Amino acid sequence: METRARLAARVAEIAPFHVMEVQTAARALEAAGRSIVHMEIGEPDFPTPAPVIDAAQRAIAAGGVYYTSALGLPELRAAIAAHYATHYGVEVAPERVIVTAGSSAALLLVMALLVNRDERILLADPGYPCTRHFVRVLEGEPYGVPVGADSGYQLTAELIRQAWSPSSRGVLVASPSNPTGTTVPRAEMARIAQTVRALGGQLIVDEIYLGLSYDGEPISALAVDDDAFIVSSFSKYFNRTGWRLGWIVAPERHVRDLEKLAQSLYISPPTPSQRAALACFLPETLAIVEERRQAFRARRDFLVPALRELGFGIPVMPNGGFFVYADITRFSDDSERFCREVLEGAGVALTPGIDFGRHRAADHVRFSYTIGESQLAEAIARLRAFLRP
Ligand SMILES: Cc1ncc(COP(=O)(O)O)c(C=O)c1O
């Protein structure tokens, strides 16, 4: 007799992260005395900036750690709005900013606002897997549109037009992207916004890596579409992954409904984390994170040519975030096996492309440059010895 409770079908359709298997195997090798260079990690190696830690300690010592408004502390909403003016040159009313428990909660709220059962959200394949999962959890249909080097591994207005169907409700673009580190150019973002609007859909732009842009001025999609939902976070640029704080910039008419959803889903974003986040916008914190952005850029400038020289295919220079999405067809047609072999043979941990979708996923791996330059050089030396014995 079946004794286990029957689970909802959605659970079976949410794939576990294969990178976790890489991490488990890497830990086992480390426990056995092997040295491993970790290039599978998806978070900055830099610690939270000291002024933010100080602010958190002061906030906790002062007490008053109660729920805040579901929309977040008013002074933090105002500070985020001001950051858009100073950093990206776009005016945002503080009332449009909704502070969330990471951009994960931001994505969940926006999808909960927009998606009915069986309605489609178009997104790039390869792309960040959790976004697909949020749509699925809400009984919608995440619809992966294959993207390749010809479009900078990003959606275009043309691809969206071709993939659109009567059940399509909206489009999610992540720029810069995880796993490809590539960005949608301003003119294409404007075309995408126009197209989605003309099709009667809603544009959502995940800008969690926008602060970590390396070539030219970073451009928020708000500069070309004031009516898009923008999702962002303190996790990456401000080095605050564990503090679980992000935000949405929403069209004003949707704020009340997003507030209702946030109230029900998690009541409010974490209070000490919000108080500490106010210190993110101090000049001394911005100086620290800017210096780290330069360090990420220097790492990228070292890593990409070195990987190309080894035979990895990187046809488009990644210009944001901290990922390189590399074609491995010179070496293998099975990214999962390749990651296992590189881990065991070279002691370098990578993420297989199959974590990011289906389109040519077995032909790609993701490198994270969340390690210092000497470690990157060590990884290259190990890969060279392994791939060209
Ligand atoms: C593209 C993208 N969006 C959203 C997230 C979620 O981040 P958080 O919830 O820490 O803001 C991540 C995390 O890696 C990501 O890569």
Side-chain angles (χ1 to χ4, degrees), residues 154-230:
Q154 286 283 6
L155 292 174
T156 61
E158 191 47 39
L159 287 170
I160 290 166
R161 212 173 291 118
Q162 285 165 11
W164 196 261
S165 71
S167 66
S168 299
R169 184 73 183 84
V171 176
L172 179 123
V173 174
S175 179
S177 143
N178 175 7
T180 67
T182 55
T183 300
V184 178
R186 182 190 174 111
E188 189 60 43
M189 190 65 92
R191 276 192 288 272
I192 288 176
Q194 249 168 23
T195 301
V196 176
R197 198 175 316 124
L199 291 165
Q202 184 61 58
L203 178 62
I204 309 147
V205 185
D206 179 344
E207 296 187 346
I208 179 170
Y209 295 105
L210 188 64
L212 293 172
S213 292
Y214 307 125
D215 303 325
E217 288 290 304
I219 292 156
S220 168
L222 285 171
V224 299
D225 184 11
D226 202 45
D227 211 44
F229 286 89
I230 305 295

Side-chain angles (χ1 to χ4, degrees), residues 78-100:
I80 293 169
H83 185 65
Y84 275 91
T86 55
H87 221 72
Y88 301 116
V90 286
E91 293 300 324
V92 172
E95 296 71 37
R96 293 176 54 197
V97 177
I98 300 158
V99 182
T100 56

Side-chain angles (χ1 to χ4, degrees), residues 42-43 100-107 127-131 134 172-179 206-209 231-236 240-247 322-323 356 366:
E43 60 183 334
T100 56
S103 68
S104 302
L107 286 166
Y128 176 62
C130 302
T131 316
F134 291 141
L172 179 123
V173 174
S175 179
S177 143
N178 175 7
D206 179 344
E207 296 187 346
I208 179 170
Y209 295 105
V231 167
S232 194
S233 177
F234 288 96
S235 288
K236 314 288 174 161
R240 298 191 75 221
T241 48
W243 298 79
R244 310 310 304 129
L245 216 59
W247 68 85
F322 33 68
F323 304 117
F356 305 105
R366 188 191 72 178

Side-chain angles (χ1 to χ4, degrees), residues 51-76:
V52 180
I53 303 267
D54 292 347
Q57 283 169 339
R58 280 198 306 275
I60 290 169
V65 183
Y66 301 108
Y67 296 138
T68 66
S69 153
L71 295 171
L73 287 172
E75 56 271 41
L76 182 57

